[in-house]
Amino acid sequence: MSTEKKKYTIKRNDLSADKSLKAWSAADEYLLQEFVALAAKPAHLAIYNDRFGFLACHLHSYQPTIVLTQKSQEKAIKANLQKNYLAFLNFSNPLASFEKELDFALVKVPKSLALFQLFLAQIANNSTQEVTVIASFMTRHFSPKLLQIAASYFEVVEQTKALKKARVMVLRKKKAVVKQELINALAYNNKKYQQYSGVFSADHIDYATQYFLKQLQIKETDQCILDLGSGNGVIANEIFKQNPAAEIHLLDDAYLAVASAQLNIQGENIHHHFNDDLSPFKEEFFDLIVTNPPFHFEYEINIQIPIQLFKACFRCLKKGGNLQLVSNKHLNYKTHLDKIFPSVQILADNDKYIIYQCVK
Ligand SMILES: C[S@@+](CC[C@H](N)C(=O)[O-])C[C@H]1O[C@@H](n2cnc3c(N)ncnc32)[C@H](O)[C@@H]1O
């Protein structure tokens, strides 16, 4: 089961146009190295937060369960498995129970420590008493909270020496922890929103979104609407209040965002989509698309991805339909939007945020 001599081709396969971005880091390499050094023979290994499939490819012979948090992650991992002539693996999600208990888990620590906690809770609830967890991170991303979370689930938490600015933690001796649902509650405009740990903006509705919602006016002719990057569903819900008869679609790349939105807004005319692009929709489908678009991807800022999404919005809008988006002013999307849409107007702005309306 040695993985050391094998070389795999791992690409990001994401919407980003910047092909120089790396598909793995020293933290992934260190995680792999430590796991191989232990010469463990797990009966059931699970891998968490393997963003593009570096670990899935290198550890394929262990037949791991890959716990997916994003649709884009699933697409990238599948593409890399195929590219390396490897069969698909068992894919799961962070809220599922596993049929067979885990005895080993590898976690690339996510930026959201609330999500790290959700991962450890799933491992603790679905593993043998002897389970070992190896977690890795770049040393510059270390926070004492990381150790605190690990120590709330495991008695033994050991750290290794730093290697290429990465570090590994080994967790053993699972504690008896009471099962808890990791959901936060937020209030906005007389409604309580629920969201799973790790979903965007954990303790308040995002301020850019609040600014956007204050000016949002849905017209009667807006009959088919998309909330793109819908998070917990707050924008869609405010749209629903203004036009309950409209067909409203919510789409997000994050599994836990979609699962949260499903708790917050339901109905016959409400449609949830777990996806990272607009491929589920045909051309000229929507009257209106609204978005507070993503530009932070873990520790990376990448406006290539929202730009690709804006191009897809143009394709999916009806003629005369419009895209309304809010963003941080400094991102300066106007130059990009002007290349995609014939008309781009500023609907509102303040020192921090700007709202654009782009008409097809
Ligand atoms: C800035 S947050 C906005 C969330 C929510 N609409 C709000 O206002 O609170 C952006 C959202 O886009 C999602 N996202 C990231 N990449 C995406 C993609 N390629 N397609 C769809 N959604 C994406 C993230 O998971 C996140 O929920």
Side-chain angles (χ1 to χ4, degrees):
M1 286 207 177
S2 166
T3 57
E4 286 145 300
K5 294 195 183 72
K6 292 205 174 120
K7 284 264 180 288
Y8 296 98
T9 307
I10 316 287
K11 297 228 163 98
R12 288 169 63 107
N13 299 299
D14 64 2
L15 294 179
S16 173
D18 184 349
K19 299 297 169 215
S20 70
L21 293 169
K22 275 193 76 179
W24 71 92
S25 69
D28 294 290
E29 288 173 344
Y30 202 178
L31 191 52
L32 177 65
Q33 179 184 313
E34 286 299 287
F35 175 72
V36 172
L38 283 180
K41 293 194 170 41
H44 188 189
L45 168 70
I47 301 181
Y48 288 77
N49 199 26
D50 181 23
R51 182 62 187 86
F52 300 105
F54 174 86
L55 296 168
C57 288
H58 283 86
L59 298 174
H60 189 270
S61 57
Y62 294 84
Q63 291 293 295
T65 293
I66 308 294
V67 179
L68 295 168
T69 36
Q70 291 131 312
K71 187 50 111 181
S72 53
Q73 178 193 18
E74 178 182 339
K75 290 182 184 175
I77 294 179
K78 286 184 171 169
N80 280 318
L81 289 171
Q82 268 179 325
K83 181 110 198 139
N84 291 291
Y85 307 103
L86 297 168
F88 286 169
L89 291 160
N90 178 31
F91 293 104
S92 190
N93 69 67
L95 299 178
S97 299
F98 301 135
E99 267 174 38
K100 184 174 170 190
E101 289 187 320
L102 301 176
D103 55 357
F104 221 110
L106 300 179
V107 182
K108 164 86 177 302
V109 176
K111 184 176 176 192
S112 161
L113 293 186
L115 183 59
F116 179 57
Q117 182 173 2
L118 192 118
F119 289 164
L120 290 191
Q122 186 186 42
I123 294 167
N125 292 329
N126 292 279
S127 57
T128 64
Q129 202 48 45
E130 289 69 42
V131 66
T132 302
V133 179
I134 311 185
S136 75
F137 52 92
M138 298 305 290
T139 42
R140 65 180 180 278
H141 301 146
F142 174 78
S143 121
K145 182 95 199 287
L146 190 57
L147 295 179
Q148 261 174 35
I149 294 172
S152 61
Y153 290 92
F154 291 88
E155 274 173 33
V156 178
V157 177
E158 290 166 346
Q159 281 195 70
T160 60
K161 283 192 296 198
L163 183 72
K164 290 201 218 155
K165 299 185 179 158
R167 200 178 280 277
V168 157
M169 273 185 339
V170 182
L171 318 182
R172 288 198 186 89
K173 289 205 178 168
K174 180 170 93 163
K175 287 184 177 172
V177 183
V178 185
K179 230 180 177 171
Q180 45 176 163
E181 266 221 291
L182 293 168
I183 294 192
N184 304 334
L186 323 180
Y188 179 75
N189 208 5
N190 301 321
K191 172 159 167 93
K192 192 169 120 190
Y193 288 87
Q194 299 188 78
Q195 61 178 52
Y196 287 101
S197 295
V199 172
F200 173 75
S201 205
D203 43 15
H204 60 267
I205 297 296
D206 179 58
Y207 298 119
T209 299
Q210 294 194 29
Y211 183 65
F212 182 69
L213 288 174
K214 284 208 177 89
Q215 68 74 45
L216 182 67
Q217 282 179 356
I218 303 300
K219 295 192 292 246
E220 241 177 76
T221 48
D222 294 329
Q223 284 303 322
C224 188
I225 304 172
L226 171 66
D227 177 0
L228 170 60
S230 42
N232 64 16
V234 60
I235 300 181
N237 195 55
E238 289 292 313
I239 291 172
F240 179 71
K241 283 193 203 160
Q242 289 192 37
N243 189 351
E247 177 178 323
I248 303 176
H249 295 259
L250 296 87
L251 181 141
D252 204 288
D253 184 31
Y255 180 85
L256 293 169
V258 178
S260 305
Q262 283 168 339
L263 300 174
N264 295 323
I265 173 165
Q266 305 103 9
E268 261 180 27
N269 50 341
I270 306 294
H271 307 275
H272 293 274
H273 305 268
F274 174 37
N275 219 318
D276 71 326
D277 61 27
L278 302 198
S279 54
F281 310 112
K282 54 185 196 310
E283 268 180 44
E284 315 224 327
F285 190 69
F286 294 108
D287 300 298
L288 173 67
I289 300 178
V290 293
T291 186
N292 174 357
F295 65 99
H296 276 123
F297 302 91
E298 288 286 286
Y299 294 98
E300 201 174 283
I301 289 184
N302 185 347
I303 68 159
Q304 296 295 328
I305 290 175
I307 291 168
Q308 294 307 318
L309 291 171
F310 301 153
K311 288 182 184 162
C313 288
F314 181 80
R315 180 182 66 81
C316 292
L317 278 170
K318 292 178 188 161
K319 229 170 170 274
N322 72 99
L323 164 69
Q324 291 188 23
L325 66 105
V326 64
S327 79
N328 286 45
K329 230 172 180 173
H330 68 86
L331 292 172
N332 198 15
Y333 283 137
K334 182 141 188 344
T335 43
H336 302 283
L337 291 166
D338 278 334
K339 289 186 193 143
I340 306 170
F341 287 87
S343 156
V344 179
Q345 280 178 6
I346 295 168
L347 283 186
D349 66 341
N350 65 14
D351 322 340
K352 273 186 119 172
Y353 307 119
I354 185 157
I355 301 172
Y356 297 106
Q357 180 178 50
C358 315
V359 182
K360 178 166 174 182

